Coordinates of all heavy atoms in Angstrom, one line a residue:
M1 N 155.6 132.9 90.9 CA 155.2 131.5 91.1 C 155.6 130.7 89.8 O 155.2 131.1 88.7 CB 153.7 131.4 91.5 CG 153.3 131.7 92.8 SD 154.2 130.6 94.0 CE 153.7 131.4 95.6
M2 N 156.2 129.7 90.1 CA 156.6 128.8 89.0 C 156.0 127.3 89.3 O 156.6 126.6 90.0 CB 158.0 128.6 88.7 CG 158.7 129.8 88.1 SD 160.4 129.7 87.8 CE 161.1 129.6 89.5
P3 N 154.8 127.1 88.8 CA 154.2 125.8 89.1 C 155.2 124.6 88.6 O 155.9 124.8 87.6 CB 153.0 125.7 88.3 CG 152.7 127.2 88.0 CD 154.0 127.8 87.9
Q4 N 155.2 123.5 89.4 CA 156.2 122.5 89.2 C 155.4 121.1 89.2 O 154.5 120.9 89.9 CB 157.2 122.4 90.3 CG 158.4 121.6 89.9 CD 159.4 121.5 91.0 OE1 159.1 121.8 92.2 NE2 160.7 121.4 90.8
K5 N 155.8 120.3 88.3 CA 155.3 119.0 88.3 C 156.3 117.9 88.3 O 157.4 118.1 87.7 CB 154.4 118.7 86.9 CG 153.1 119.4 86.9 CD 152.5 118.9 85.5 CE 151.2 119.5 85.4 NZ 150.5 119.1 84.0
I6 N 156.2 116.8 89.2 CA 157.0 115.7 89.1 C 156.3 114.6 88.8 O 155.2 114.2 89.6 CB 157.8 115.8 90.5 CG1 158.6 116.9 90.7 CG2 158.7 114.5 90.5 CD1 159.2 117.0 92.1
I7 N 156.7 113.9 87.8 CA 155.9 112.7 87.2 C 156.7 111.5 87.1 O 157.9 111.5 86.6 CB 155.2 113.2 85.8 CG1 154.4 114.4 86.0 CG2 154.5 112.0 85.2 CD1 154.2 115.1 84.7
C8 N 156.1 110.4 87.5 CA 156.8 109.1 87.2 C 156.7 108.8 85.7 O 155.7 108.8 85.1 CB 156.0 108.0 88.0 SG 156.7 106.4 87.7
R9 N 158.0 108.6 85.2 CA 158.0 108.3 83.7 C 157.4 107.0 83.3 O 156.9 106.8 82.3 CB 159.5 108.3 83.3 CG 160.1 109.7 83.2 CD 159.8 110.2 81.8 NE 160.6 111.4 81.5 CZ 160.5 112.1 80.4 NH1 159.6 111.7 79.5 NH2 161.3 113.1 80.2
S10 N 157.4 106.1 84.3 CA 156.9 104.7 83.9 C 155.5 104.7 83.8 O 154.9 104.0 82.8 CB 157.3 103.7 85.0 OG 158.8 103.8 85.1
C11 N 154.7 105.3 84.6 CA 153.3 105.2 84.7 C 152.5 106.5 84.6 O 151.3 106.6 84.6 CB 152.7 104.4 85.9 SG 153.0 105.3 87.4
K12 N 153.3 107.6 84.5 CA 152.8 109.0 84.5 C 152.0 109.4 85.7 O 151.3 110.3 85.8 CB 151.8 109.2 83.3 CG 152.4 108.7 82.0 CD 153.5 109.6 81.6 CE 154.1 109.2 80.2 NZ 155.2 110.0 79.8
H13 N 152.2 108.7 86.8 CA 151.7 109.0 88.1 C 152.3 110.4 88.5 O 153.5 110.5 88.5 CB 151.9 108.0 89.2 CG 151.4 108.3 90.5 ND1 150.0 108.3 90.8 CD2 152.0 108.7 91.6 CE1 149.8 108.7 91.9 NE2 151.0 108.8 92.5
M14 N 151.5 111.3 88.9 CA 151.9 112.5 89.4 C 152.4 112.5 90.8 O 151.5 112.3 91.8 CB 150.9 113.6 89.2 CG 151.4 115.0 89.2 SD 150.2 116.3 88.7 CE 149.9 115.8 87.0
L15 N 153.7 112.7 91.0 CA 154.2 112.6 92.4 C 154.1 113.9 93.0 O 153.9 114.0 94.3 CB 155.6 112.3 92.3 CG 156.0 111.0 91.6 CD1 157.4 110.8 91.3 CD2 155.4 109.8 92.4
Y16 N 154.1 115.0 92.3 CA 154.0 116.4 92.9 C 153.4 117.3 91.9 O 153.9 117.3 90.7 CB 155.3 116.9 93.5 CG 155.1 118.4 94.0 CD1 154.6 118.6 95.2 CD2 155.4 119.4 93.2 CE1 154.4 119.9 95.8 CE2 155.3 120.7 93.6 CZ 154.8 120.9 94.9 OH 154.6 122.2 95.3
C17 N 152.6 118.2 92.2 CA 152.2 119.3 91.4 C 151.7 120.4 92.2 O 150.8 120.2 93.1 CB 151.0 118.8 90.5 SG 150.4 120.1 89.4
G18 N 152.3 121.5 92.1 CA 152.0 122.6 92.9 C 152.7 123.9 92.5 O 153.5 123.9 91.6
D19 N 152.3 125.0 93.2 CA 152.7 126.3 92.8 C 154.1 126.5 93.5 O 154.9 127.4 93.2 CB 151.8 127.4 93.4 CG 150.6 127.5 92.5 OD1 150.6 127.1 91.3 OD2 149.6 127.9 93.0
E20 N 154.4 125.7 94.5 CA 155.7 125.9 95.1 C 156.8 125.1 94.5 O 156.5 123.9 94.1 CB 155.6 125.5 96.6 CG 154.9 126.6 97.4 CD 154.9 126.1 98.9 OE1 155.9 125.6 99.4 OE2 153.8 126.4 99.6
L21 N 157.9 125.7 94.3 CA 159.0 125.1 93.7 C 159.6 124.1 94.8 O 160.0 124.7 95.9 CB 160.1 126.1 93.3 CG 161.0 125.7 92.1 CD1 160.2 125.2 90.9 CD2 161.9 126.9 91.8
V22 N 159.7 122.8 94.6 CA 160.1 121.9 95.6 C 161.4 121.3 95.1 O 161.7 121.2 93.9 CB 159.1 120.9 96.0 CG1 157.9 121.5 96.6 CG2 158.7 120.0 94.7
N23 N 162.1 120.7 96.0 CA 163.2 119.9 95.6 C 162.8 118.5 95.2 O 162.3 117.8 96.0 CB 164.2 119.9 96.9 CG 165.5 119.2 96.5 OD1 165.7 118.6 95.5 ND2 166.6 119.4 97.3
P24 N 163.1 118.1 94.0 CA 162.5 116.8 93.5 C 163.1 115.7 94.4 O 162.5 114.6 94.6 CB 163.1 116.7 92.1 CG 163.3 118.1 91.7 CD 163.8 118.8 92.9
E25 N 164.3 115.9 94.9 CA 165.0 115.0 95.7 C 164.2 114.7 97.0 O 164.0 113.6 97.4 CB 166.4 115.5 96.1 CG 167.2 114.6 96.9 CD 167.8 113.4 96.0 OE1 168.1 113.6 94.9 OE2 168.0 112.3 96.6
E26 N 163.7 115.7 97.6 CA 162.8 115.6 98.8 C 161.5 114.9 98.4 O 160.9 114.1 99.3 CB 162.5 117.0 99.4 CG 163.6 117.4 100.2 CD 163.3 118.9 100.8 OE1 162.2 119.2 100.9 OE2 164.3 119.7 101.1
V27 N 161.0 115.2 97.3 CA 159.6 114.7 96.9 C 159.8 113.1 96.7 O 159.0 112.2 97.3 CB 159.2 115.2 95.6 CG1 157.9 114.5 95.0 CG2 158.8 116.7 95.9
I28 N 160.9 112.6 96.1 CA 161.0 111.2 95.8 C 161.3 110.4 97.1 O 161.0 109.3 97.3 CB 161.9 110.9 94.7 CG1 163.3 111.2 94.9 CG2 161.5 111.5 93.4 CD1 164.4 110.8 94.0
S29 N 162.0 111.3 97.9 CA 162.4 110.7 99.3 C 161.0 110.4 100.1 O 161.0 109.4 100.8 CB 163.2 111.6 100.1 OG 164.5 111.7 99.5
K30 N 160.1 111.3 100.0 CA 158.8 111.1 100.7 C 158.1 109.8 100.2 O 157.4 109.2 101.0 CB 157.9 112.2 100.4 CG 158.3 113.5 101.2 CD 157.2 114.6 100.9 CE 157.7 115.8 101.5 NZ 156.9 116.9 101.0
Y31 N 158.4 109.4 99.0 CA 157.8 108.1 98.6 C 158.7 106.9 98.8 O 158.6 105.9 98.1 CB 157.5 108.3 97.0 CG 156.3 109.3 96.7 CD1 156.5 110.6 96.3 CD2 155.0 108.8 96.9 CE1 155.6 111.4 96.1 CE2 154.0 109.6 96.6 CZ 154.2 110.9 96.3 OH 153.1 111.7 96.0
N32 N 159.7 107.1 99.6 CA 160.7 106.1 99.8 C 161.5 105.7 98.5 O 161.9 104.6 98.3 CB 160.1 104.9 100.4 CG 159.8 105.2 101.9 OD1 160.5 105.9 102.6 ND2 158.5 104.8 102.2
R33 N 161.5 106.7 97.6 CA 162.2 106.5 96.2 C 161.5 105.4 95.4 O 162.2 104.7 94.5 CB 163.7 106.2 96.4 CG 164.4 107.4 97.1 CD 165.8 107.2 97.4 NE 166.4 108.4 97.8 CZ 166.9 109.3 97.0 NH1 166.9 109.2 95.7 NH2 167.4 110.5 97.4
V34 N 160.3 105.1 95.7 CA 159.5 104.1 95.0 C 158.2 104.7 94.5 O 157.6 105.4 95.3 CB 159.3 102.8 95.8 CG1 158.5 101.8 95.0 CG2 160.6 102.1 96.1
C35 N 157.9 104.6 93.2 CA 156.6 105.1 92.9 C 155.5 104.3 93.5 O 155.4 103.0 93.5 CB 156.5 104.9 91.4 SG 154.9 105.4 90.6
P36 N 154.5 105.0 94.1 CA 153.3 104.3 94.8 C 152.5 103.7 93.8 O 151.6 102.7 94.2 CB 152.7 105.5 95.5 CG 153.0 106.7 94.9 CD 154.4 106.4 94.2
E37 N 152.6 104.0 92.6 CA 151.6 103.4 91.6 C 152.2 102.2 90.9 O 151.5 101.3 90.8 CB 151.3 104.6 90.6 CG 150.1 104.3 89.7 CD 148.8 104.5 90.5 OE1 148.7 105.1 91.6 OE2 147.8 104.0 90.1
C38 N 153.4 102.3 90.5 CA 153.9 101.2 89.7 C 155.0 100.5 90.3 O 155.6 99.5 89.8 CB 154.3 101.7 88.2 SG 155.7 102.8 88.3
S39 N 155.5 101.0 91.6 CA 156.6 100.4 92.3 C 157.9 100.4 91.7 O 158.8 99.6 92.1 CB 156.1 98.9 92.7 OG 155.0 98.9 93.4
K40 N 158.0 101.1 90.7 CA 159.3 101.4 90.1 C 160.1 102.3 91.0 O 159.7 103.2 91.5 CB 159.2 102.0 88.6 CG 158.6 100.9 87.8 CD 159.6 100.2 86.9 CE 159.1 99.1 86.1 NZ 158.1 99.4 85.1
P41 N 161.5 101.9 90.9 CA 162.4 102.9 91.8 C 162.4 104.4 91.1 O 162.4 104.5 89.9 CB 163.8 102.3 91.7 CG 163.6 101.4 90.6 CD 162.2 100.9 90.4
L42 N 162.4 105.3 92.0 CA 162.3 106.8 91.5 C 163.8 107.3 91.7 O 164.3 107.2 92.8 CB 161.4 107.5 92.3 CG 159.9 107.2 92.2 CD1 159.1 107.9 93.2 CD2 159.4 107.4 90.8
T43 N 164.3 107.8 90.7 CA 165.7 108.5 90.8 C 165.6 109.8 90.1 O 164.5 110.0 89.4 CB 166.8 107.7 90.2 OG1 166.6 107.8 88.8 CG2 166.7 106.3 90.8
L44 N 166.4 110.6 90.3 CA 166.4 112.0 89.6 C 166.8 111.9 88.2 O 167.0 112.8 87.5 CB 167.3 113.0 90.3 CG 166.6 113.5 91.5 CD1 167.5 114.5 92.3 CD2 165.2 114.0 91.3
N45 N 167.2 110.7 87.7 CA 167.5 110.4 86.4 C 166.2 110.8 85.6 O 165.1 110.3 85.8 CB 167.8 108.9 86.1 CG 168.2 108.6 84.7 OD1 167.8 109.2 83.8 ND2 169.2 107.7 84.7
P46 N 166.4 111.7 84.5 CA 165.3 112.1 83.7 C 164.5 111.0 83.0 O 163.4 111.2 82.7 CB 165.9 113.1 82.7 CG 167.3 113.1 82.9 CD 167.6 112.3 84.2
E47 N 165.1 109.9 82.9 CA 164.4 108.8 82.2 C 163.4 108.2 83.3 O 162.5 107.4 82.9 CB 165.4 107.6 81.9 CG 166.2 108.1 80.5 CD 167.3 107.1 80.2 OE1 167.3 105.9 80.7 OE2 168.1 107.4 79.4
R48 N 163.6 108.4 84.5 CA 162.7 107.9 85.6 C 161.7 108.8 86.0 O 160.5 108.5 86.3 CB 163.6 107.4 86.7 CG 164.5 106.4 86.5 CD 164.0 105.0 86.6 NE 165.1 104.0 86.6 CZ 164.9 102.8 86.7 NH1 163.6 102.2 86.9 NH2 165.8 101.8 86.6
V49 N 162.1 110.0 86.2 CA 161.2 111.0 86.7 C 161.4 112.3 86.0 O 162.5 112.8 85.6 CB 161.7 111.4 88.3 CG1 160.9 112.5 88.9 CG2 161.6 110.2 89.2
E50 N 160.1 112.8 85.7 CA 160.1 114.0 84.8 C 159.8 115.2 85.7 O 158.8 115.2 86.4 CB 159.0 113.8 83.8 CG 158.9 115.0 82.9 CD 157.8 114.6 81.6 OE1 157.3 113.6 81.7 OE2 157.7 115.5 80.8
V51 N 160.6 116.2 85.6 CA 160.5 117.3 86.5 C 160.1 118.5 85.5 O 161.0 118.8 84.6 CB 161.6 117.7 87.4 CG1 161.3 119.0 88.2 CG2 162.0 116.6 88.3
K52 N 159.1 119.0 85.7 CA 158.6 120.2 84.8 C 158.6 121.5 85.6 O 157.8 121.6 86.6 CB 157.3 119.9 84.1 CG 157.3 119.0 83.0 CD 156.0 118.8 82.3 CE 156.1 117.8 81.2 NZ 154.8 117.6 80.6
K53 N 159.2 122.4 85.1 CA 159.1 123.8 85.7 C 158.4 124.6 84.7 O 158.9 124.8 83.5 CB 160.4 124.4 86.0 CG 161.0 123.7 87.3 CD 162.4 124.2 87.5 CE 163.0 123.3 88.5 NZ 164.6 123.6 88.4
I54 N 157.3 125.1 84.9 CA 156.4 125.9 84.0 C 156.8 127.3 84.2 O 156.4 128.0 85.2 CB 154.9 125.5 84.3 CG1 154.7 124.0 84.1 CG2 154.1 126.4 83.2 CD1 153.5 123.6 84.9
Q55 N 157.5 127.8 83.2 CA 158.0 129.2 83.2 C 157.4 130.0 82.0 O 157.3 129.4 80.9 CB 159.5 129.3 83.3 CG 160.0 128.7 84.6 CD 161.6 128.6 84.5 OE1 162.1 127.7 84.0 NE2 162.2 129.7 84.9
N56 N 157.4 131.2 82.2 CA 157.0 132.1 81.1 C 158.1 132.3 80.1 O 157.9 132.3 78.9 CB 156.6 133.5 81.6 CG 155.2 133.4 82.3 OD1 154.4 132.5 82.0 ND2 155.0 134.3 83.3
N57 N 159.3 132.4 80.6 CA 160.5 132.4 79.7 C 161.6 131.6 80.1 O 161.5 131.1 81.3 CB 161.0 133.9 79.6 CG 161.5 134.4 80.8 OD1 162.5 133.8 81.5 ND2 160.9 135.5 81.3
E58 N 162.5 131.1 79.3 CA 163.4 130.2 79.6 C 164.9 130.9 79.7 O 165.8 130.3 79.2 CB 163.5 129.1 78.7 CG 162.2 128.2 78.8 CD 162.1 127.0 78.0 OE1 163.1 126.9 77.1 OE2 161.1 126.2 78.0
S59 N 164.9 132.2 80.1 CA 166.1 132.9 80.1 C 167.2 132.4 81.0 O 168.3 132.5 80.8 CB 165.8 134.4 80.4 OG 165.1 134.4 81.6
S60 N 166.6 131.8 82.2 CA 167.5 131.2 83.1 C 168.0 129.8 82.7 O 167.3 129.0 82.3 CB 166.9 131.2 84.5 OG 165.8 130.3 84.5
K61 N 169.3 129.7 82.8 CA 169.9 128.4 82.4 C 170.0 128.2 80.9 O 169.0 128.1 80.2 CB 169.2 127.2 83.1 CG 170.2 126.1 83.4 CD 169.5 125.0 84.1 CE 170.4 124.2 84.9 NZ 169.9 123.0 85.6
Ligands
ZN1 ZN1 155.1 105.0 88.5

């Protein structure tokens, strides 16, 4: 299991947090690509949305 977090960079609102690895694209699509908290557009640009994969080692990639 690799817990994953997806966070709005603008307001730090947590869009997703869970044990399942999800596609960030799908998660932001569920929010209509807009942050429900600050109404900023959500894109997969790391400046907009922070995706964290919590891993024990970083050997992959
Ligand atoms: Zn936000």
Side-chain angles (χ1 to χ4, degrees):
M1 283 295 177
M2 290 184 289
Q4 188 181 34
K5 279 184 185 179
I6 300 173
I7 300 165
C8 172
R9 281 278 196 181
S10 302
C11 68
K12 307 293 182 191
H13 180 71
M14 197 174 290
L15 303 166
Y16 175 83
C17 179
D19 288 336
E20 283 183 38
L21 207 56
V22 296
N23 185 347
E25 187 74 31
E26 281 180 24
V27 173
I28 65 174
S29 291
K30 280 181 193 168
Y31 289 100
N32 294 319
R33 298 176 171 273
V34 174
C35 176
E37 197 69 20
C38 67
S39 298
K40 292 266 169 58
L42 299 170
T43 69
L44 287 182
N45 187 325
E47 288 175 13
R48 299 272 190 177
V49 174
E50 186 173 358
V51 180
K52 286 185 179 176
K53 289 172 191 166
I54 304 151
Q55 292 176 271
N56 289 331
N57 64 57
E58 294 183 356
S59 57
S60 62
K61 216 176 199 181

